[in-house]
Amino acid sequence: MNTPKEFYKEQIALHNISLKKVKKQLALSSTIRLFVFLAIVSIVYFGYPNGQIIIGSIVLGIIAFIFLVTRHTDLTYSKNKFEKLIQINQLELDVFEDKIANLATGKEFIDTTHPYSHDIDLFGERSFFQYGNRTTTLAGKSKLAAILAENSIKNIESKQEAIQNLSKLPKWRQEFSAIASLSNVTVSVSTIQNWLQNYTSFVPKIMKVLPAIVSGISLVMLTLLFLDVITFQLFLFWSFIGLIITGTQLKKINALYNNAGKVKDTFEQYYKLVDKIENTNFDASLLKEKQQLVISEREKASQTLKQFARILSAFDQRNNMMFGVLANGLMLWDILQSYRIEQWIAKNHDKVTQWFAVIAFFDAYNSLGNFAFNHPDYVYPTITSGRITLKAEQLGHPMLTTHKRVDNNITINKEQFFIITGANMAGKSTFLRTVALQIVMSNIGLPVCAAACEYRPIKLISSMRTSDSLSDDASYFFSELTQLKKIVDKLDQDEYFIILDEILKGTNSKDKAAGSRKFVEKLVAAKATGIIATHDLSLCEIASDLSQVKNRFFDAQIVNDELYFDYKFKDGVCQNMNASFLLKKMGIVDS
């Protein structure tokens, strides 16, 4: 099998070939359109004053021109899609080079009160979200953020199966993303849902048949004009009647058009995405379950959404002044489209929420499938229910490149607590975030950066990054105490894996040591599982009194008068600290 990098390079080459071909077709299409236009003008010019020749050539010309414009639009769409597919594949190659600046950071999802997301850089610059997010809809982006922050341990194996399934469909995922990217959607799903749910009809019942009657009479009048039975002035008078009828509803029509214009791109995008979902054979039960939500109706959801997109597109034609005048005068166009919109809303507004949720789900899971595809050497944790909470071989941080990353083994049992000591910069905090990310990724269903992994599902809570809250008039120390109180309260409700980094930093050393010991004792008494990193070696003494507590450390050594770290996770208590050495090395102190 090709590596992900080779796959992306091959796709770029193939799409470039297709792009060149469609560009040639577009150039030919433009030439043909120009030729048809000139032909119509010539026939009208040389046929004057024969009204039949003029009207006939104009009607046939319009039909031919509509066909050519439609074909040209389709070719333009294909060109844009190939360009987008090339961009998608190039982006993946850029990410492999650690170029992620063009990816959304998800900073809007940063929540300092969340049980773990702020501590492990789940959102924001250089975050896991930025690294893994490939969503292309606003709803999908929010759904992915919700999945990462959910802290749920339900149905992990089902999630794994779904992600594995999508990871094997890279072309399908890219098509889905390209289609979604080609629509300029700026309105949130919730805004659309509120509009549909709260819409009030205004079109009178008589307008159900009146546009058809007016259109029929207009066709007769046009035929009579062509046959020179009636004068052009009479035909013009008839069209004014249609404009007057439309004018009676103009204010309400304009208000509807304003709202319809905002959602048009969304429905244009979503019907194509639902069509991709409906016409794919998925293997994973979770994907099939979601798929059924859009194909269980008598009419496929894609066809229903497409119908609405076409109505909105037809309504948008009123923007063309010439078409708007003719269509409203001869067919009551605006009233007809307003009626069609109202009928669609009345029939389908309750279904839209479910359909939109399915699209958001697949958009979010595409990102997860893409992550799994990009890391074929990662492993899906084996889900267990025994005493071992986490047993991982060669566990590494997924955001670190292979040549920089140092992997470690870890085995931690249920109701066991590790105290990790180590010198500054020895790797304690990175290791804590590695373990935390492994838990989050496992709960989501993602493969993890390890050679092998056994995992008993458990929720995560942490206290690693606490800050002052000036707006709440809260000191750093009080903020930290608040977070520790949340942890204790959570343990009364459920089982959590607890990760702590240098707690009680806002008090003196003696008070910190005593308080940290009491807090660890509290956690052990609550049968908690977790890890705490500390510089306080006295805290390690608790392992002599409590069998549940184990000491681990990261070492630092001075080799050839230089500080050296091996970043390896070891049994025992760290004896080598580096503050004094660094002060001397940097010339801050003499000895």
Side-chain angles (χ1 to χ4, degrees):
M1 178 184 173
N2 292 344
T3 65
K5 284 185 180 180
E6 290 171 342
F7 171 80
Y8 295 132
K9 290 176 181 177
E10 287 177 0
Q11 291 304 300
I12 289 174
L14 289 172
H15 294 318
N16 268 318
I17 292 171
S18 298
L19 180 60
K20 289 178 181 177
K21 181 179 178 181
V22 79
K23 280 183 175 180
K24 290 180 179 178
Q25 292 174 323
L26 270 170
L28 179 61
S29 175
S30 297
T31 302
I32 293 173
R33 283 199 306 164
L34 178 61
F35 176 79
V36 170
F37 175 76
L38 292 175
I40 294 171
V41 171
S42 298
I43 293 172
V44 170
Y45 177 78
F46 290 109
Y48 182 82
N50 190 316
Q52 285 135 329
I53 292 177
I54 293 173
I55 294 174
S57 60
I58 289 175
V59 170
L60 291 174
I62 288 173
I63 294 172
F65 208 74
I66 289 173
F67 171 78
L68 292 171
V69 167
T70 302
R71 184 174 180 275
H72 193 85
T73 301
D74 291 341
L75 288 171
T76 301
Y77 182 83
S78 296
K79 178 184 81 73
N80 293 338
K81 189 167 79 167
F82 286 129
E83 289 175 342
K84 183 58 65 175
L85 286 166
I86 291 169
Q87 291 175 19
I88 288 170
N89 284 278
Q90 185 58 53
L91 174 63
E92 298 303 333
L93 293 176
D94 290 342
V95 172
F96 278 117
E97 299 297 324
D98 200 33
K99 300 174 184 175
I100 63 173
N102 291 330
L103 292 170
T105 63
K107 63 181 180 180
E108 65 269 33
F109 303 115
I110 293 175
D111 178 7
T112 57
T113 66
H114 188 267
Y116 58 79
S117 69
H118 189 52
D119 286 336
I120 65 174
D121 300 313
L122 207 57
F123 305 108
E125 294 285 345
R126 307 293 303 178
S127 64
F128 185 76
F129 179 88
Q130 185 178 26
Y131 184 65
N133 172 45
R134 301 294 188 276
T135 58
T136 43
T137 67
L138 296 174
K141 184 180 181 183
S142 296
K143 178 63 176 178
L144 178 62
I147 289 171
L148 293 176
E150 187 178 17
N151 211 13
S152 170
I153 59 174
K154 296 180 180 177
N155 306 316
I156 292 178
E157 289 171 310
S158 177
K159 298 172 189 174
Q160 288 180 344
E161 182 189 28
I163 292 170
Q164 281 180 302
N165 192 170
L166 285 172
S167 72
K168 296 173 183 177
L169 302 171
K171 294 179 182 178
W172 185 89
R173 286 187 284 101
Q174 290 188 353
E175 280 273 329
F176 187 97
S177 296
I179 290 169
S181 300
L182 291 175
S183 296
N184 183 27
V185 175
T186 57
V187 181
S188 69
V189 168
S190 60
T191 300
I192 296 172
Q193 290 169 344
N194 287 335
W195 176 60
L196 295 175
Q197 292 291 339
N198 300 313
Y199 181 78
T200 303
S201 300
F202 69 87
V203 179
K205 290 183 179 180
I206 192 174
M207 297 304 176
K208 179 178 181 180
V209 295
L210 190 58
I213 294 171
V214 171
S215 297
I217 295 173
S218 296
L219 181 60
V220 172
M221 296 287 281
L222 184 63
T223 303
L224 294 175
L225 177 65
F226 179 76
L227 297 173
D228 282 333
V229 176
I230 63 172
T231 64
F232 182 74
Q233 286 78 7
L234 182 59
F235 181 78
L236 196 62
F237 176 76
W238 168 249
S239 67
F240 278 134
I241 295 175
L243 291 174
I244 291 170
I245 296 172
T246 301
T248 62
Q249 304 294 325
L250 190 59
K251 186 176 180 180
K252 293 178 180 178
I253 289 171
N254 286 339
L256 174 59
Y257 177 72
N258 183 50
N259 288 322
K262 294 176 182 177
V263 306
K264 182 172 75 72
D265 285 337
T266 300
F267 281 92
E268 188 73 28
Q269 177 193 66
Y270 273 31
Y271 93 75
K272 294 173 183 174
L273 297 179
V274 171
D275 183 66
K276 290 291 293 181
I277 295 168
E278 289 172 342
N279 293 296
T280 304
N281 293 319
F282 296 110
D283 297 324
S285 57
L286 179 58
L287 301 183
K288 289 180 179 179
E289 176 188 320
K290 296 296 182 181
Q291 185 185 45
Q292 284 302 311
L293 296 176
V294 295
I295 64 175
S296 58
E297 305 291 335
R298 280 186 218 166
E299 185 179 25
K300 287 185 176 181
S302 62
Q303 293 302 313
T304 305
L305 291 169
K306 182 178 181 179
Q307 179 193 32
F308 196 49
R310 291 293 176 259
I311 295 171
L312 295 175
S313 182
F315 197 23
D316 197 43
Q317 295 303 315
R318 72 197 299 263
N319 259 348
N320 184 316
M321 185 172 293
M322 182 177 293
F323 178 86
V325 171
L326 287 174
N328 280 301
L330 302 178
M331 296 184 289
L332 305 184
W333 185 263
D334 285 357
I335 292 176
L336 173 62
Q337 304 312 322
S338 297
Y339 176 77
R340 294 175 70 199
I341 288 172
E342 291 187 350
Q343 291 301 299
W344 192 96
I345 291 175
K347 183 180 178 182
N348 299 294
H349 70 276
D350 287 333
K351 306 171 190 173
V352 170
T353 298
Q354 177 174 288
W355 295 340
F356 281 15
V358 172
I359 294 168
F361 169 87
F362 274 94
D363 195 20
Y365 263 71
N366 270 2
S367 289
L368 303 179
N370 187 74
F371 182 92
F373 178 79
N374 283 346
H375 300 90
D377 53 334
Y378 285 16
V379 298
Y380 289 89
T382 301
I383 305 303
T384 65
S385 58
R387 287 289 301 169
I388 294 177
T389 295
L390 173 62
K391 181 179 181 181
E393 297 177 15
Q394 300 300 302
L395 181 67
H397 196 295
M399 294 288 288
L400 296 176
T401 56
T402 305
H403 68 277
K404 290 183 180 179
R405 194 179 71 224
V406 177
D407 300 333
N408 283 287
N409 298 336
I410 179 175
T411 301
I412 184 168
N413 295 325
K414 183 179 181 180
E415 299 175 13
Q416 201 170 56
F417 221 88
F418 285 176
I419 296 177
I420 303 179
T421 51
N424 291 306
M425 303 181 294
K428 299 190 305 298
S429 295
T430 298
F431 184 72
L432 294 187
R433 289 185 172 87
T434 299
V435 174
L437 264 177
Q438 184 274 324
I439 292 172
V440 172
M441 292 167 68
S442 297
N443 289 343
I444 291 169
L446 282 171
V448 298
C449 181
C453 183
E454 294 178 30
Y455 173 63
R456 182 180 62 83
I458 188 170
K459 294 181 180 180
L460 175 67
I461 193 167
S462 65
S463 179
M464 299 172 64
R465 181 181 286 144
T466 310
S467 58
D468 294 340
S469 179
L470 298 179
S471 61
D472 295 334
D473 195 25
S475 68
Y476 179 95
F477 186 58
F478 184 77
S479 296
E480 187 175 19
L481 290 178
T482 301
Q483 181 63 12
L484 296 181
K485 177 67 165 61
K486 287 180 181 178
I487 291 173
V488 172
D489 291 343
K490 287 286 188 182
L491 288 176
D492 291 335
Q493 304 166 16
D494 210 337
E495 183 183 9
Y496 284 84
F497 193 100
I498 301 167
I499 296 184
L500 308 170
D501 192 4
E502 206 64 52
I503 63 170
L504 303 179
K505 294 183 282 291
T507 187
N508 64 70
S509 299
K510 184 176 180 181
D511 191 37
K512 172 186 172 183
S516 297
R517 180 182 178 105
K518 288 181 179 179
F519 189 69
V520 172
E521 288 174 344
K522 172 79 173 177
L523 296 179
V524 171
K527 298 183 178 180
T529 306
I531 301 173
I532 179 171
T534 182
H535 286 100
D536 184 6
L537 299 183
S538 67
L539 186 60
C540 300
E541 297 171 4
I542 197 173
S544 302
D545 303 323
L546 298 173
S547 60
Q548 299 96 322
V549 178
K550 305 296 179 184
N551 287 317
R552 301 288 186 268
F553 75 100
F554 286 90
D555 204 5
Q557 299 176 7
I558 298 173
V559 179
N560 297 326
D561 200 35
E562 293 291 337
L563 198 60
Y564 169 75
F565 303 106
D566 61 10
Y567 304 110
K568 299 303 290 185
F569 189 54
K570 302 169 186 175
D571 292 347
V573 180
C574 180
Q575 302 300 322
N576 300 322
M577 298 299 183
N578 61 11
S580 298
F581 171 80
L582 289 174
L583 286 169
K584 181 180 178 182
K585 186 74 174 175
M586 296 175 68
I588 299 172
V589 299
D590 296 329
S591 60

